[in-house]
Amino acid sequence: MQNSHLSALRAEMEKRGIDAYIIPTSDFHESEYVGAHFKARQFICGFTGSAGTAVVTAKKAGLWTDGRYFIQAEAELDGSGFDLYKMGEEGVPKIREFLEQELPEHAVLGFDGRVMNSSVAEEYEELAGKKNGSLYVKEDLVDLIWEDRPAMPATQTWILPIEYSGESTASKIGRIRKKMEEAGADWHLVASLYDNAWILNLRADDINNVPVFLSFLLIGREETTLFIQEQALNDTVRAYLEENQIHVRPYEEIYEAAAELPAGSAVMLDKHLVNYRIVSSIPETVNILNQDNPSELMKAIKNETELKNTRIAHLKDGVAITKFMYWLKTNVGKIDLDEYSVGQYLDSLRAQQDHFLDLSFEDICAYGPNAAMMHYEASETQSAVLKPEGMLLVDSGGHYLEGTTDITRTFILGPISDQMRLHYTTVLRCNMALANVKFLYGCGGLSMDVVCRGPLWALGIDYKCGTGHGVGHILNVHEGPNGFRWRIVPERKDSGIFEEGMITTDEPGVYLENEYGIRIENELVCMKDEKNEYGQFMRFENITYCPIDLDGIDPDELSRREKQQLNEYHHMVYEKLAPYMTEDEREWLKEYTREI
């Protein structure tokens, strides 16, 4: 099958003498998820996953993606003209290694300079230099061939009140200016949509399930300018920005503003987040201080208001998904159910909760072999029918005015094999080991990931993703710098030290291709424990309230301590949720939180 999009792109490349063209999964802000307008990589190759980079030469085309998407990508790339390069697998070249081999002398390497962060782009610039070649970054070639491309998103911004944010915009900017002063910066350029929304206490809907707005923020020692699309602001928000002494300029003028930075001044920015065209626009007479945005750590450490509200959000979410669990296990085999319809029913239960805003990501409702694909998504036209046997994996979450949630449960729908039961019980053991770990301050996720994976590694099993990620507050469901991972993955930036107030997911799993998938996910708040002569000890508080399906557990595989941990968790779940259940649901909940 001929990929007409690929052929059309190659024709545009040939016109310009471009030897290789790179299409990342990104907007102008290095966002993890992007709006429809920015899905150029999906347009060119057909792969719908949220992470991956396409590379096209005259003779070859490849897609690089990570272990979450190997199964999905193989299916979606079939017939596309693109080969799959499984990132991190033995013998698979990295993109740079591939280009070093494929690019000829005096090569021209192309990409849209607005969708490539400056840190990565500079590596490609160096590569082109080694080939005595050059970069071509002034055009978006995909835009030239994408005839019905969706428009740029520009949804209405709204103000997150102080009773939900816990800190004013003036206070946040004041704290950032102190960090600027310490670094010797006159200016701070913020490209991250998550940081801008957090700093300004504003939200919108420019990315599905991520309540942010396209914007850049330029913070000076005395003035702050927001670059945003005019139609995203109403009179209330304009007045709010004026009260906070924030000037407004059109979104696209950020490049002009970068070029206008005064000679001899210093600008602090993160090259991993600021796009190449912006950094290239900054005069050589301006000193660029390349470092993490101060707001990245500030927003990761939730304040007392955010923590209090987040617990409320999890209570609401726990009510919704526990009612779903009761409904699912009561009705499977009695009424017609499929992956898509049960996901829609779960969405309706969340929508009934007070202050519900949106899903925090599209539900993953995956039955049987589909659950082996970590980011599988059923549709109305392609959805497996549920039977009273096997397992259903449901990964879902919601945004509420109080906070953001992310939870996974694997539900037992009927008889399962002894191997399934062993794997389910082992995943539970992994989850509880991490939730109950006690550690000295100074640890990052790299120190603790093996605590979680240990029981699975003992069986010779692993999962090709991190164990957990930070969670934003009515923002992106994946947030750094905290996370659990057994090795450093530089582009993830999730190896930071755990601080009191950080929220991180705990989600080990087993994924056997063409067989089944299992995942159990809770959210943990980092808390202080005792301090003694050895230092400050830390622990986690589990803030996810939903039963873990006892029908999948082999009690003989659990130690006495593990049984106690599970019983204590289920006692908390019952106490939290019972008041919100009907009489029938309450009796059922009592059974599914019973002691073992």
Side-chain angles (χ1 to χ4, degrees):
M1 182 178 69
Q2 181 77 8
N3 183 340
S4 60
H5 298 161
L6 179 57
S7 299
L9 176 63
R10 281 178 167 149
E12 296 297 336
M13 290 168 57
E14 186 176 4
K15 289 178 188 176
R16 293 158 179 79
I18 297 172
D19 296 284
Y21 197 75
I22 306 170
I23 308 169
T25 306
S26 184
D27 53 16
F28 303 156
H29 307 271
E30 203 67 14
S31 304
E32 179 184 15
Y33 300 106
V34 298
H37 175 85
F38 294 103
K39 293 186 177 181
R41 187 226 63 220
Q42 179 178 325
F43 170 83
I44 205 69
C45 71
F47 170 59
T48 61
S50 68
T53 300
V55 180
V56 177
T57 69
K59 298 271 180 80
K60 295 183 179 181
L63 173 82
W64 278 256
T65 192
D66 61 57
R68 295 172 296 169
Y69 294 109
F70 289 168
I71 301 171
Q72 177 183 342
E74 282 181 342
E76 292 183 340
L77 291 179
D78 186 35
S80 69
F82 280 79
D83 296 319
L84 173 61
Y85 290 82
K86 298 180 178 180
M87 293 171 62
E89 294 294 283
E90 188 175 351
V92 176
K94 296 179 180 178
I95 294 174
R96 177 162 179 156
E97 293 168 343
F98 171 86
L99 290 170
E100 284 176 344
Q101 182 175 342
E102 296 297 325
L103 287 176
E105 191 73 4
H106 306 296
V108 177
L109 177 59
F111 53 83
D112 179 358
R114 298 169 301 172
V115 297
M116 186 78 71
N117 75 62
S118 187
S119 179
V120 171
E122 287 173 3
E123 292 181 11
Y124 291 133
E125 187 176 36
E126 179 186 4
L127 172 59
K130 285 183 178 180
K131 296 283 185 176
N132 295 307
S134 61
L135 296 182
Y136 189 97
V137 299
K138 62 185 180 181
E139 279 185 296
D140 176 2
L141 297 194
V142 176
D143 191 59
L144 300 178
I145 63 174
W146 194 349
E147 295 180 358
D148 58 347
R149 186 172 196 169
M152 290 266 287
T155 56
Q156 282 290 306
T157 51
W158 52 274
I159 301 164
L160 184 67
I162 192 73
E163 56 263 36
Y164 296 110
S165 68
E167 184 180 6
S168 70
T169 288
S171 172
K172 292 175 179 180
I173 291 176
R175 286 205 283 153
I176 290 169
R177 283 183 171 140
K178 286 181 181 178
K179 293 294 182 181
M180 290 168 57
E181 187 175 354
E182 291 171 9
D186 302 291
W187 305 94
H188 176 38
L189 177 56
V190 191
S192 163
L193 302 184
Y194 323 125
D195 292 57
N196 290 343
W198 180 84
I199 293 167
L200 298 175
N201 287 331
L202 293 176
R203 301 293 189 270
D205 297 295
D206 279 4
I207 300 176
N208 287 345
N209 311 125
V210 187
V212 295
F213 46 94
L214 296 181
S215 60
F216 297 97
L217 199 60
L218 185 60
I219 302 174
R221 292 286 183 96
E222 296 180 354
E223 62 185 83
T224 300
T225 304
L226 172 65
F227 298 82
I228 189 170
Q229 297 176 96
E230 296 283 340
Q231 60 268 45
L233 303 176
N234 57 32
D235 290 344
T236 301
V237 174
R238 286 182 183 279
Y240 168 80
L241 292 171
E242 191 172 335
E243 287 169 15
N244 283 278
Q245 300 179 323
I246 296 168
H247 306 293
V248 175
R249 286 180 66 176
Y251 176 67
E252 62 276 6
E253 287 188 9
I254 182 61
Y255 305 97
E256 180 183 328
E260 293 169 348
L261 289 172
S265 65
V267 58
M268 181 171 70
L269 56 81
D270 185 347
K271 286 188 175 182
H272 291 94
L273 299 173
V274 179
N275 73 53
Y276 183 65
R277 186 178 293 185
I278 291 176
V279 173
S280 300
S281 300
I282 297 173
E284 292 183 1
T285 54
V286 173
N287 184 24
I288 296 176
L289 306 175
N290 179 28
Q291 60 186 69
D292 294 340
N293 293 338
S295 48
E296 179 184 45
L297 182 60
M298 291 176 184
K299 68 182 170 61
I301 301 173
K302 275 54 181 180
N303 60 47
E304 285 303 315
T305 298
E306 290 172 321
L307 290 174
K308 178 191 72 175
N309 284 329
T310 296
R311 292 184 182 98
I312 294 171
H314 276 279
L315 179 59
K316 295 177 179 182
D317 211 61
V319 169
I321 198 161
T322 301
K323 285 178 176 287
F324 169 80
M325 181 179 178
Y326 165 78
W327 171 84
L328 175 70
K329 292 180 76 70
T330 301
N331 288 294
V332 67
K334 298 176 184 177
I335 62 175
D336 293 337
L337 299 173
D338 60 46
E339 294 167 327
Y340 183 78
S341 66
V342 299
Q344 293 292 296
Y345 184 76
L346 175 57
D347 293 350
S348 73
L349 292 174
R350 276 200 170 92
Q352 293 171 22
Q353 301 300 313
D354 287 343
H355 294 167
F356 174 78
L357 299 172
D358 193 4
L359 302 179
S360 54
F361 54 96
E362 292 299 323
D363 300 335
I364 299 169
C365 292
Y367 179 59
N370 291 337
M373 293 182 275
M374 296 182 198
H375 283 225
Y376 170 81
E377 186 176 332
S379 68
E380 195 167 3
T381 55
Q382 288 188 317
S383 182
V385 173
L386 306 189
K387 301 175 183 178
E389 62 185 40
M391 301 180 291
L392 175 71
L393 186 155
V394 179
D395 187 354
S396 64
H399 292 299
Y400 304 83
L401 265 178
E402 290 83 7
T404 295
T405 68
D406 185 2
I407 175 175
T408 306
R409 288 293 181 268
T410 303
F411 301 113
I412 312 303
L413 302 187
I416 58 174
S417 68
D418 290 343
Q419 177 180 274
M420 289 177 176
R421 192 173 300 278
L422 172 62
H423 289 168
Y424 185 96
T425 307
T426 306
V427 169
L428 169 63
R429 293 179 58 217
C430 293
N431 176 281
M432 292 194 301
L434 184 54
N436 291 282
V437 72
K438 185 173 177 177
F439 59 98
L440 276 168
Y441 176 77
C443 285
L446 204 66
S447 306
M448 290 179 281
D449 189 83
V450 67
V451 172
C452 185
R453 290 182 197 255
L456 280 174
W457 280 2
L459 297 178
I461 298 173
D462 191 31
Y463 44 95
K464 295 180 181 294
C465 62
T467 294
H469 54 83
V471 180
H473 187 75
I474 325 177
L475 285 169
N476 50 322
V477 77
H478 296 154
E479 177 181 82
N482 46 306
F484 296 112
R485 196 177 296 275
W486 67 270
R487 60 181 175 182
I488 292 177
V489 179
E491 62 269 22
R492 294 290 182 192
K493 294 186 70 177
D494 60 359
S495 302
I497 290 173
F498 276 86
E499 302 283 354
E500 182 182 26
M502 286 180 168
I503 299 176
T504 318
T505 65
D506 169 9
E507 47 182 311
V510 168
Y511 309 94
L512 302 185
E513 187 172 353
N514 298 321
E515 294 188 51
Y516 56 84
I518 301 165
R519 180 159 67 250
I520 298 173
E521 175 189 18
N522 289 342
E523 286 187 30
L524 311 175
V525 178
C526 186
M527 312 282 287
K528 285 183 178 177
D529 207 280
E530 81 262 29
K531 187 175 183 178
N532 56 28
E533 68 270 27
Y534 302 106
Q536 176 66 60
F537 280 91
M538 312 292 287
R539 62 180 177 86
F540 293 118
E541 174 194 349
N542 198 330
I543 59 170
T544 298
Y545 316 124
C546 176
I548 293 165
D549 197 340
L550 295 174
D551 293 338
I553 295 171
D554 180 355
D556 293 337
E557 290 292 329
L558 299 178
S559 69
R560 182 178 173 183
R561 175 63 180 148
E562 288 168 337
K563 289 178 182 178
Q564 180 184 348
Q565 290 171 346
L566 180 60
N567 291 339
E568 288 174 353
Y569 175 73
H570 273 156
H571 176 75
M572 176 189 70
V573 167
Y574 183 82
E575 292 298 313
K576 293 276 187 185
L577 300 182
Y580 303 94
M581 299 290 138
T582 65
E583 187 174 340
D584 288 345
E585 290 168 341
R586 196 176 300 116
E587 284 303 308
W588 172 90
L589 180 61
K590 187 178 294 184
E591 173 66 13
Y592 273 87
T593 55
R594 68 188 183 276
E595 288 195 358
I596 62 168

